[in-house]
């Protein structure tokens, strides 16, 4: 039987299964013949193609000699970097570099056992790492080993045999309506007044607001588009497209936010003119005093200063997003509308995150039904 170019030799065994062989790169730089098995010729062909692709990209297909460190480096470079947001990639890389590699990196990938992982994760717990951190480390290893299994580098995903405790769910801490109003009153006249207003008014993520361009904002009709996010990754600021379709969205903007944006537009025009820079649709809405993109961490620092000035309790910047959602739900806005405004991937995310608001909504629904049917 003929075979496709580069497919390797594929044949049917006496037991009915198909098998195929191809030469792949080993950790010492030599090439070695490796066999793949499957129920159909097509399945074996696909496995051989993956083996050869991995070999070309530097992933050695000999699990007995491939270390956990070498595999994770290749997995992050070739599989995860193209699909993860810069912030998530940086988080994964930090967990791998600081936790996984020091403890497990030198171990041959094919010899990694469930017992190894239990001991490793137990040690992390004893070191005082939070349940959330341990669970995240476990999730990264599980995901990596799942890919290794698909590549026939390991026979099974041993991380699936290890159970870790779920972290205690952290309740969101939104500002109350009175606190939110006070925050925006104190922000009046601040260079970033419009930024704080958007965080409260439409619940943008930090990077989404910093990635807004004037071409994404329709001041006349009170609309804006979320099409990119500004994030720091690998030492530089990058504009990144949303990783999900739901994050890419159009938003109807409340008039108080539009008013703040109009004032900001005027002041930004003056600032850019003094710097000799054009005010065009590609220009970011929020820029530094030099007209450059804003360092995201500086927004967090400025927010802490704003809270102190307003004499409000300390909350996280992301809690302004929670504030927006909680206030809308408390005002009776449909959860589906809130989900679309925030760019959540599913209604369950919205409902689970803001479950603290649901009891009040249930009380209101009971009162409305009473009013409708009570004689």
């Amino acid at each position: 039987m003929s075979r496709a170019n580069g497919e390797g030799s594929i044949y049917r065994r006496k037991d009915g299964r198909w098998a195929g062989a191809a030469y792949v790169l080993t950790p010492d730089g030599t090439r070695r013949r490796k066999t793949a098995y499957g129920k159909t010729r097509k399945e074996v062909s696909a496995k051989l193609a993956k083996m050869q692709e991995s070999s070309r990209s530097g992933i050695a297909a000999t699990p007995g000699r491939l270390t956990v460190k070498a595999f994770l480096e290749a997995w992050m470079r070739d599989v995860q970097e193209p699909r993860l947001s810069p912030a998530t990639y940086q988080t994964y890389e930090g967990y791998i570099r600081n936790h996984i590699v020091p403890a497990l990196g030198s171990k041959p990938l094919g010899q990694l056992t469930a017992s190894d992982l239990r001991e490793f994760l137990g040690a992390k717990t004893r070191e005082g790492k939070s349940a959330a951190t341990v669970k995240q480390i476990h999730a990264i290893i599980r995901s990596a080993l799942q890919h290794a299994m698909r590549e026939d580098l390991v026979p099974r995903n041993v991380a699936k045999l290890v159970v870790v405790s779920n972290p205690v769910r952290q309740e969101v801490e939104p500002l109350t309506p009175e606190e939110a109003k006070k925050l925006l009153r104190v922000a009046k006249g601040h260079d970033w007044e419009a930024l704080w207003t958007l965080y409260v008014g439409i619940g943008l993520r930090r990077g989404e607001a910093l990635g807004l361009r004037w071409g994404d904002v329709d001041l006349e009709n009170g609309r804006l588009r979320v099409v990119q996010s500004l994030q720091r990754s690998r030492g530089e600021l990058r504009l990144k497209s949303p990783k999900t379709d739901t994050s890419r969205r159009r938003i109807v903007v409340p008039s108080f936010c539009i008013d703040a944006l109009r004032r900001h537009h005027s002041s930004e025009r003056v600032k850019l003119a003094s710097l000799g820079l054009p005010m065009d649709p590609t220009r970011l809405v929020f820029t530094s005093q030099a007209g450059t993109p804003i360092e995201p961490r500086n927004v967090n620092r400025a927010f802490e200063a704003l809270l102190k000035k307003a004499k409000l309790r300390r909350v996280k910047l992301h809690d302004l997003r929670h504030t927006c959602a909680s206030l809308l739900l408390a005002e009776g806005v449909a959860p589906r509308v809130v989900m679309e405004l925030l760019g959540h991937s599913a209604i369950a995310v919205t409902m689970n995150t803001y479950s603290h608001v649901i009891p009040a909504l249930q009380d209101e629904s009971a009162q409305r039904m009473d009013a409708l049917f009570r004689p």
Side-chain angles (χ1 to χ4, degrees):
M1 184 179 291
S2 63
R3 61 179 183 265
N5 185 34
E7 180 179 79
S9 58
I10 298 180
Y11 57 94
R12 193 164 192 173
R13 292 160 47 100
K14 291 182 180 180
D15 61 6
R17 290 196 304 160
W18 288 81
Y23 283 94
V24 295
L25 184 70
T26 63
D28 59 6
T30 61
R31 300 185 69 80
R32 181 176 176 179
R33 189 175 176 85
K34 181 173 171 61
T35 303
Y37 302 92
K39 295 180 180 179
T40 65
R41 180 189 180 89
K42 184 177 181 181
E43 181 182 350
V44 172
S45 178
K47 286 185 176 182
L48 289 176
K50 282 188 176 181
M51 285 163 45
Q52 291 169 326
E53 180 182 356
S54 297
S55 176
R56 285 192 294 272
S57 64
I59 299 179
T62 311
R65 303 169 72 181
L66 177 65
T67 64
V68 170
K69 179 178 184 291
F71 170 71
L72 288 176
E73 288 174 347
W75 176 69
M76 286 292 289
R77 180 187 66 241
D78 302 324
V79 180
Q80 295 298 77
E81 186 171 14
R83 59 177 291 271
L84 295 179
S85 70
T88 304
Y89 181 90
Q90 196 167 9
T91 299
Y92 275 38
E93 192 276 333
Y95 279 121
I96 290 172
R97 173 170 39 83
N98 296 321
H99 299 287
I100 301 173
V101 167
L104 303 172
S106 61
K107 193 172 188 65
L109 180 67
Q111 295 179 24
L112 187 66
T113 66
S115 179
D116 292 330
L117 293 183
R118 287 194 193 94
E119 183 178 345
F120 163 61
L121 295 173
K124 288 297 167 184
T125 299
R126 291 190 294 274
E127 287 173 11
K129 298 297 183 288
S130 69
T133 294
V134 173
K135 191 173 182 66
Q136 180 67 72
I137 293 172
H138 176 257
I140 291 171
I141 296 174
R142 187 181 62 219
S143 179
L145 291 181
Q146 191 65 22
H147 177 76
M149 191 174 71
R150 287 194 297 267
E151 295 286 325
D152 283 336
L153 298 176
V154 294
R156 63 177 178 172
N157 187 344
V158 294
K160 289 186 175 181
L161 305 176
V162 179
V163 178
V164 296
S165 301
N166 287 321
V168 177
R169 182 174 174 179
Q170 297 293 318
E171 293 294 333
V172 298
E173 297 184 4
L175 297 178
T176 65
E178 293 72 23
E179 289 173 328
K181 290 176 183 177
K182 184 176 183 182
L183 182 78
L184 295 186
R185 281 199 306 270
V186 174
K188 280 281 188 181
H190 190 282
D191 287 344
W192 293 346
E193 174 192 349
L195 183 63
W196 311 128
T197 305
L198 289 185
Y199 285 141
V200 173
I202 57 177
L204 292 182
R205 298 176 176 92
R206 181 182 67 176
E208 290 175 342
L210 298 182
L212 276 179
R213 299 163 300 190
W214 284 113
D216 301 323
V217 180
D218 183 350
L219 294 175
E220 292 300 317
N221 297 302
R223 305 285 192 275
L224 66 76
R225 299 177 303 156
V226 177
V227 296
Q228 63 182 13
S229 179
L230 180 70
Q231 298 179 6
R232 176 162 288 282
S233 175
R234 298 187 179 185
E236 63 181 32
L237 291 175
R238 300 182 183 185
L239 288 168
K240 180 80 173 179
S241 297
K243 61 182 180 180
T244 64
D245 291 337
T246 51
S247 292
R248 182 186 295 270
R249 59 201 188 276
R250 293 179 181 272
I251 295 174
V252 179
V253 185
S255 59
F256 78 95
C257 292
I258 291 295
D259 291 342
L261 280 170
R262 284 199 177 102
R263 292 191 294 272
H264 180 69
H265 185 272
S266 297
S267 62
E268 195 73 2
R269 182 185 294 276
V270 172
K271 180 182 75 178
L272 292 176
S274 69
L275 295 170
L277 298 174
M279 183 74 168
D280 57 49
T282 64
R283 180 70 55 184
L284 291 177
V285 172
F286 300 103
T287 61
S288 69
Q289 290 301 317
T292 57
I294 293 173
E295 169 59 53
R297 287 172 295 187
N298 289 343
V299 178
N300 292 72
R301 297 188 187 102
F303 179 60
E304 291 178 5
L306 183 63
L307 287 173
K308 289 181 181 178
K309 185 177 180 181
K311 297 181 180 179
L312 293 172
R313 59 192 169 91
R314 186 173 183 179
V315 295
K316 297 177 182 177
L317 177 64
H318 197 73
D319 288 326
L320 294 186
R321 180 170 162 84
H322 296 322
T323 296
C324 173
S326 297
L327 294 179
L328 289 173
L329 289 169
E331 289 296 315
V333 176
R336 179 77 191 187
V337 174
V338 176
M339 166 199 156
E340 292 175 352
L341 173 68
L342 298 182
H344 283 161
S345 58
I347 191 68
V349 175
T350 309
M351 301 309 291
N352 289 339
T353 305
Y354 303 106
S355 57
H356 63 285
V357 185
I358 304 305
L361 298 181
Q362 291 176 340
D363 290 342
E364 183 180 350
S365 67
Q367 292 169 8
R368 291 188 179 185
M369 289 298 283
D370 268 342
L372 182 62
F373 289 103
R374 180 174 291 169

